[in-house]
Every structure is written in structure tokens, then in C-alpha cells.
Amino acid sequence: MEKNFFEWVIFFIQGNWQQFLLGTVTTLFVSLSGTIIGFFLGLGVSLIQYTKADDRSSKLFKVVISILKVLINIYITIFRGTPMIVQAMVIFYGLPQLIGLNLDPLPAALLIVSINTGAYMAEMIRGGVDSVDPGQLEGAQAIGMSHFQAMISIIFPQAVRNVLPSIGNEFIINIKDTSVLNVIGVTELFFTSKSIAGSYAKYYEVFIITSVIYLFLTFTISLILNAIEKKIDGPKNFEILPLQDGNSVVIKKGKGV
């Protein structure tokens, strides 16, 4: 007797849960690692973009910074303007021909996601920096900080906080976009699902399971990221109490609110 839809779903879950689990773990590993590495890459790129040469800078420094900024603009334009699936094919199959570097699928996937994410992170952080009051940079320089010190200690921490929701969204996007890495043989969730479905010629039932797993991952991570943002923001209700000297005040969380 032919199985109905629900019987097939139960059959695939019972018989292939380990493969689904392994594919899910690989998807999370690649997307999380790629997002973290891409964040620091984007942070470094943004730092170079905002580095300014002044009268005290050497000619060599000015030339190097100018060249780096041009290369960075090319990098951002290419990786934001082409699909990740195309980048995966070019990098995975191009590196052996160009420099003789043969990467296994998983390290290649980490490289691809990290570089792709870095380009988007650089633009996110740039927007975050632009959202910070310029007066803070001027104030930092007025008390003797260099441009570099002010950016590292004052501007970038605020910029990162401002773009934290966008960083979380990029992580969620990476979870879904890792599915394209099946073209280079990465055994992530989509590749695993396609293999299982092909063995039984039951694509609808298998990919219903896959879609539920993706939805669970993205929904759960969205909740976690929202909780982290609220934790960073701290309590929203305060009462202001004067100190004994009559001048200074302290801010204390309101009671009963």
C-alpha cells in the first residue's frame, strides 16, 4: 500500500534524522563562522576606509592607503554585485588554476561565506559610523586623541551597536544562503536533503522537512538576537535621584515599573 504524505514524512525523519542533523550542524557552523569572520573582515575594511592621512603622514603611507581604498572599493563592488553561488564556483574551481590551491569543500565554503559577508559588513559598519554624531570625533580629537584612536575607542563601538540588528539579519541570511554551497559539494542541509530525496524520488516530502528545519533555525535565532539587543539596551525605565551634594545625580531603575 502506498504511503500517504504524513507516513512518508515520518519515514524520512525516522530513517534519516542523523543525516538531517549533520546537515543542520554543518549549515550552522558555516553560517556562524562565516558571519563572525566576515564581521571582523568588514571591521578591518571599514577601519581602512576611514583612515585619513594628514600632513604628518609619510608619502608612502598616503600611497598605500590610497591603493588599499581603491582595492577595497573593488572588493565590495564585486562581492555585493555577484551572487554567492557564482562566487563559490569561481573561488572553488578558480583557485587551483590560478595559484594551485586545492581546498576541500568545507574550508572553501568558510572562505566564500566569510569574504561575501565581509563586503556586506563593511557597508553596514560604514552606515553605523555615519549615524554617530560627528561631534564625538571632534571632541575626541580636541582632547588629544588621534583619528585612529578616536575611531577605535569611541566611534566604532557605537557604530557596531547601531548596526547590531543588521548583523543579526546577515547571520540569518547566511543560514539560508549556505544552501547554494551544494554546488561545490558541501554536505550542508540542502545537499543532504537533495541526496535523501533523490534516493526515493520523493522531493516534496523531504523538502517540507527541510523547510521546517530552516524556519526553526531562523525563527529561534531571531528570538535570541532580539533578547541580546534588549539585554544590551538595558532597562528603559529609570528615576533620577539627587546626590547629597545637591549637584550630581544618579540614575536608578524605577521600582514597580
Side-chain angles (χ1 to χ4, degrees), residues 53-73:
D54 53 29
D55 295 335
R56 295 172 296 178
S57 302
S58 65
K59 291 184 179 179
L60 178 61
F61 179 80
K62 293 178 181 179
V63 171
V64 170
I65 288 298
S66 298
I67 293 174
L68 285 177
K69 288 183 177 181
V70 171
L71 293 176
I72 283 171
N73 288 332

PDB file of all heavy atoms in Angstrom, residues 53-73:
ATOM      1  N   ALA A  53      45.020  60.315   5.986  1.00  0.00           N
ATOM      2  CA  ALA A  53      46.418  60.761   6.012  1.00  0.00           C
ATOM      3  C   ALA A  53      46.442  62.266   6.233  1.00  0.00           C
ATOM      4  O   ALA A  53      45.715  63.010   5.566  1.00  0.00           O
ATOM      5  CB  ALA A  53      47.111  60.400   4.712  1.00  0.00           C
ATOM      6  N   ASP A  54      47.245  62.701   7.192  1.00  0.00           N
ATOM      7  CA  ASP A  54      47.365  64.134   7.457  1.00  0.00           C
ATOM      8  C   ASP A  54      48.749  64.636   7.030  1.00  0.00           C
ATOM      9  O   ASP A  54      49.518  63.914   6.381  1.00  0.00           O
ATOM     10  CB  ASP A  54      47.110  64.435   8.936  1.00  0.00           C
ATOM     11  CG  ASP A  54      47.975  63.589   9.859  1.00  0.00           C
ATOM     12  OD1 ASP A  54      49.085  63.206   9.435  1.00  0.00           O
ATOM     13  OD2 ASP A  54      47.547  63.305  10.994  1.00  0.00           O
ATOM     14  N   ASP A  55      49.043  65.855   7.389  1.00  0.00           N
ATOM     15  CA  ASP A  55      50.310  66.466   6.982  1.00  0.00           C
ATOM     16  C   ASP A  55      51.523  65.746   7.560  1.00  0.00           C
ATOM     17  O   ASP A  55      52.622  65.797   6.996  1.00  0.00           O
ATOM     18  CB  ASP A  55      50.337  67.937   7.412  1.00  0.00           C
ATOM     19  CG  ASP A  55      49.280  68.747   6.687  1.00  0.00           C
ATOM     20  OD1 ASP A  55      48.885  68.318   5.583  1.00  0.00           O
ATOM     21  OD2 ASP A  55      48.839  69.779   7.228  1.00  0.00           O
ATOM     22  N   ARG A  56      51.313  65.064   8.713  1.00  0.00           N
ATOM     23  CA  ARG A  56      52.427  64.359   9.351  1.00  0.00           C
ATOM     24  C   ARG A  56      52.685  62.991   8.732  1.00  0.00           C
ATOM     25  O   ARG A  56      53.687  62.352   9.020  1.00  0.00           O
ATOM     26  CB  ARG A  56      52.154  64.210  10.851  1.00  0.00           C
ATOM     27  CG  ARG A  56      52.096  65.534  11.613  1.00  0.00           C
ATOM     28  CD  ARG A  56      51.640  65.323  13.041  1.00  0.00           C
ATOM     29  NE  ARG A  56      50.279  64.806  13.103  1.00  0.00           N
ATOM     30  CZ  ARG A  56      49.646  64.499  14.233  1.00  0.00           C
ATOM     31  NH1 ARG A  56      50.266  64.620  15.397  1.00  0.00           N
ATOM     32  NH2 ARG A  56      48.403  64.055  14.210  1.00  0.00           N
ATOM     33  N   SER A  57      51.759  62.508   7.917  1.00  0.00           N
ATOM     34  CA  SER A  57      51.894  61.179   7.311  1.00  0.00           C
ATOM     35  C   SER A  57      52.941  61.199   6.198  1.00  0.00           C
ATOM     36  O   SER A  57      53.074  62.188   5.466  1.00  0.00           O
ATOM     37  CB  SER A  57      50.553  60.716   6.744  1.00  0.00           C
ATOM     38  OG  SER A  57      49.553  60.691   7.746  1.00  0.00           O
ATOM     39  N   SER A  58      53.653  60.095   6.084  1.00  0.00           N
ATOM     40  CA  SER A  58      54.663  59.983   5.032  1.00  0.00           C
ATOM     41  C   SER A  58      53.999  59.779   3.673  1.00  0.00           C
ATOM     42  O   SER A  58      52.833  59.374   3.587  1.00  0.00           O
ATOM     43  CB  SER A  58      55.595  58.815   5.325  1.00  0.00           C
ATOM     44  OG  SER A  58      54.886  57.588   5.271  1.00  0.00           O
ATOM     45  N   LYS A  59      54.743  60.048   2.626  1.00  0.00           N
ATOM     46  CA  LYS A  59      54.216  59.857   1.275  1.00  0.00           C
ATOM     47  C   LYS A  59      53.887  58.391   1.021  1.00  0.00           C
ATOM     48  O   LYS A  59      52.892  58.066   0.361  1.00  0.00           O
ATOM     49  CB  LYS A  59      55.229  60.356   0.244  1.00  0.00           C
ATOM     50  CG  LYS A  59      55.408  61.864   0.237  1.00  0.00           C
ATOM     51  CD  LYS A  59      56.356  62.290  -0.866  1.00  0.00           C
ATOM     52  CE  LYS A  59      56.517  63.809  -0.895  1.00  0.00           C
ATOM     53  NZ  LYS A  59      57.457  64.249  -1.964  1.00  0.00           N
ATOM     54  N   LEU A  60      54.730  57.491   1.557  1.00  0.00           N
ATOM     55  CA  LEU A  60      54.482  56.063   1.388  1.00  0.00           C
ATOM     56  C   LEU A  60      53.160  55.663   2.026  1.00  0.00           C
ATOM     57  O   LEU A  60      52.376  54.904   1.437  1.00  0.00           O
ATOM     58  CB  LEU A  60      55.630  55.258   2.007  1.00  0.00           C
ATOM     59  CG  LEU A  60      55.481  53.725   1.959  1.00  0.00           C
ATOM     60  CD1 LEU A  60      55.393  53.253   0.506  1.00  0.00           C
ATOM     61  CD2 LEU A  60      56.633  53.059   2.684  1.00  0.00           C
ATOM     62  N   PHE A  61      52.900  56.172   3.227  1.00  0.00           N
ATOM     63  CA  PHE A  61      51.640  55.874   3.919  1.00  0.00           C
ATOM     64  C   PHE A  61      50.455  56.355   3.096  1.00  0.00           C
ATOM     65  O   PHE A  61      49.447  55.641   2.951  1.00  0.00           O
ATOM     66  CB  PHE A  61      51.639  56.525   5.301  1.00  0.00           C
ATOM     67  CG  PHE A  61      50.383  56.306   6.079  1.00  0.00           C
ATOM     68  CD1 PHE A  61      50.158  55.110   6.745  1.00  0.00           C
ATOM     69  CD2 PHE A  61      49.409  57.292   6.129  1.00  0.00           C
ATOM     70  CE1 PHE A  61      48.982  54.914   7.454  1.00  0.00           C
ATOM     71  CE2 PHE A  61      48.232  57.094   6.841  1.00  0.00           C
ATOM     72  CZ  PHE A  61      48.019  55.896   7.503  1.00  0.00           C
ATOM     73  N   LYS A  62      50.558  57.558   2.559  1.00  0.00           N
ATOM     74  CA  LYS A  62      49.461  58.106   1.766  1.00  0.00           C
ATOM     75  C   LYS A  62      49.199  57.261   0.523  1.00  0.00           C
ATOM     76  O   LYS A  62      48.047  57.001   0.163  1.00  0.00           O
ATOM     77  CB  LYS A  62      49.783  59.545   1.365  1.00  0.00           C
ATOM     78  CG  LYS A  62      49.828  60.522   2.535  1.00  0.00           C
ATOM     79  CD  LYS A  62      50.196  61.920   2.056  1.00  0.00           C
ATOM     80  CE  LYS A  62      50.269  62.902   3.231  1.00  0.00           C
ATOM     81  NZ  LYS A  62      50.649  64.265   2.793  1.00  0.00           N
ATOM     82  N   VAL A  63      50.287  56.816  -0.123  1.00  0.00           N
ATOM     83  CA  VAL A  63      50.136  56.000  -1.328  1.00  0.00           C
ATOM     84  C   VAL A  63      49.508  54.645  -0.989  1.00  0.00           C
ATOM     85  O   VAL A  63      48.589  54.176  -1.676  1.00  0.00           O
ATOM     86  CB  VAL A  63      51.498  55.799  -2.023  1.00  0.00           C
ATOM     87  CG1 VAL A  63      51.389  54.771  -3.138  1.00  0.00           C
ATOM     88  CG2 VAL A  63      52.021  57.120  -2.574  1.00  0.00           C
ATOM     89  N   VAL A  64      49.991  54.002   0.086  1.00  0.00           N
ATOM     90  CA  VAL A  64      49.474  52.693   0.490  1.00  0.00           C
ATOM     91  C   VAL A  64      47.994  52.780   0.836  1.00  0.00           C
ATOM     92  O   VAL A  64      47.186  51.937   0.405  1.00  0.00           O
ATOM     93  CB  VAL A  64      50.279  52.134   1.685  1.00  0.00           C
ATOM     94  CG1 VAL A  64      49.599  50.895   2.252  1.00  0.00           C
ATOM     95  CG2 VAL A  64      51.706  51.802   1.256  1.00  0.00           C
ATOM     96  N   ILE A  65      47.614  53.807   1.603  1.00  0.00           N
ATOM     97  CA  ILE A  65      46.214  53.959   1.994  1.00  0.00           C
ATOM     98  C   ILE A  65      45.335  54.204   0.766  1.00  0.00           C
ATOM     99  O   ILE A  65      44.236  53.642   0.649  1.00  0.00           O
ATOM    100  CB  ILE A  65      46.057  55.117   3.009  1.00  0.00           C
ATOM    101  CG1 ILE A  65      46.625  54.709   4.363  1.00  0.00           C
ATOM    102  CG2 ILE A  65      44.585  55.510   3.159  1.00  0.00           C
ATOM    103  CD1 ILE A  65      45.921  53.535   5.010  1.00  0.00           C
ATOM    104  N   SER A  66      45.820  54.996  -0.160  1.00  0.00           N
ATOM    105  CA  SER A  66      45.048  55.273  -1.378  1.00  0.00           C
ATOM    106  C   SER A  66      44.826  54.007  -2.193  1.00  0.00           C
ATOM    107  O   SER A  66      43.720  53.754  -2.688  1.00  0.00           O
ATOM    108  CB  SER A  66      45.764  56.326  -2.227  1.00  0.00           C
ATOM    109  OG  SER A  66      45.888  57.546  -1.529  1.00  0.00           O
ATOM    110  N   ILE A  67      45.888  53.196  -2.328  1.00  0.00           N
ATOM    111  CA  ILE A  67      45.774  51.941  -3.090  1.00  0.00           C
ATOM    112  C   ILE A  67      44.823  50.978  -2.388  1.00  0.00           C
ATOM    113  O   ILE A  67      43.973  50.337  -3.034  1.00  0.00           O
ATOM    114  CB  ILE A  67      47.161  51.294  -3.266  1.00  0.00           C
ATOM    115  CG1 ILE A  67      48.045  52.165  -4.161  1.00  0.00           C
ATOM    116  CG2 ILE A  67      47.032  49.888  -3.847  1.00  0.00           C
ATOM    117  CD1 ILE A  67      49.476  51.679  -4.272  1.00  0.00           C
ATOM    118  N   LEU A  68      44.945  50.876  -1.065  1.00  0.00           N
ATOM    119  CA  LEU A  68      44.075  49.985  -0.300  1.00  0.00           C
ATOM    120  C   LEU A  68      42.609  50.384  -0.432  1.00  0.00           C
ATOM    121  O   LEU A  68      41.726  49.529  -0.567  1.00  0.00           O
ATOM    122  CB  LEU A  68      44.488  49.980   1.172  1.00  0.00           C
ATOM    123  CG  LEU A  68      45.759  49.207   1.529  1.00  0.00           C
ATOM    124  CD1 LEU A  68      46.088  49.360   3.008  1.00  0.00           C
ATOM    125  CD2 LEU A  68      45.621  47.727   1.177  1.00  0.00           C
ATOM    126  N   LYS A  69      42.340  51.669  -0.414  1.00  0.00           N
ATOM    127  CA  LYS A  69      40.956  52.130  -0.536  1.00  0.00           C
ATOM    128  C   LYS A  69      40.377  51.792  -1.906  1.00  0.00           C
ATOM    129  O   LYS A  69      39.202  51.413  -2.016  1.00  0.00           O
ATOM    130  CB  LYS A  69      40.880  53.635  -0.274  1.00  0.00           C
ATOM    131  CG  LYS A  69      41.072  54.008   1.192  1.00  0.00           C
ATOM    132  CD  LYS A  69      40.917  55.504   1.427  1.00  0.00           C
ATOM    133  CE  LYS A  69      41.048  55.845   2.899  1.00  0.00           C
ATOM    134  NZ  LYS A  69      40.877  57.288   3.178  1.00  0.00           N
ATOM    135  N   VAL A  70      41.197  51.901  -2.947  1.00  0.00           N
ATOM    136  CA  VAL A  70      40.733  51.531  -4.285  1.00  0.00           C
ATOM    137  C   VAL A  70      40.434  50.033  -4.348  1.00  0.00           C
ATOM    138  O   VAL A  70      39.391  49.604  -4.870  1.00  0.00           O
ATOM    139  CB  VAL A  70      41.779  51.916  -5.347  1.00  0.00           C
ATOM    140  CG1 VAL A  70      41.405  51.344  -6.713  1.00  0.00           C
ATOM    141  CG2 VAL A  70      41.921  53.430  -5.431  1.00  0.00           C
ATOM    142  N   LEU A  71      41.362  49.213  -3.809  1.00  0.00           N
ATOM    143  CA  LEU A  71      41.159  47.758  -3.805  1.00  0.00           C
ATOM    144  C   LEU A  71      39.928  47.375  -2.998  1.00  0.00           C
ATOM    145  O   LEU A  71      39.175  46.462  -3.376  1.00  0.00           O
ATOM    146  CB  LEU A  71      42.408  47.069  -3.247  1.00  0.00           C
ATOM    147  CG  LEU A  71      43.682  47.178  -4.092  1.00  0.00           C
ATOM    148  CD1 LEU A  71      44.865  46.530  -3.364  1.00  0.00           C
ATOM    149  CD2 LEU A  71      43.486  46.541  -5.459  1.00  0.00           C
ATOM    150  N   ILE A  72      39.703  48.055  -1.881  1.00  0.00           N
ATOM    151  CA  ILE A  72      38.543  47.773  -1.033  1.00  0.00           C
ATOM    152  C   ILE A  72      37.246  48.087  -1.781  1.00  0.00           C
ATOM    153  O   ILE A  72      36.279  47.314  -1.726  1.00  0.00           O
ATOM    154  CB  ILE A  72      38.635  48.576   0.275  1.00  0.00           C
ATOM    155  CG1 ILE A  72      39.641  47.912   1.220  1.00  0.00           C
ATOM    156  CG2 ILE A  72      37.267  48.690   0.953  1.00  0.00           C
ATOM    157  CD1 ILE A  72      39.967  48.741   2.441  1.00  0.00           C
ATOM    158  N   ASN A  73      37.222  49.203  -2.481  1.00  0.00           N
ATOM    159  CA  ASN A  73      36.019  49.557  -3.254  1.00  0.00           C
ATOM    160  C   ASN A  73      35.737  48.522  -4.342  1.00  0.00           C
ATOM    161  O   ASN A  73      34.576  48.170  -4.591  1.00  0.00           O
ATOM    162  CB  ASN A  73      36.182  50.948  -3.882  1.00  0.00           C
ATOM    163  CG  ASN A  73      36.102  52.056  -2.851  1.00  0.00           C
ATOM    164  OD1 ASN A  73      35.454  51.908  -1.818  1.00  0.00           O
ATOM    165  ND2 ASN A  73      36.763  53.172  -3.124  1.00  0.00           N
TER     166      ASN A  73
END
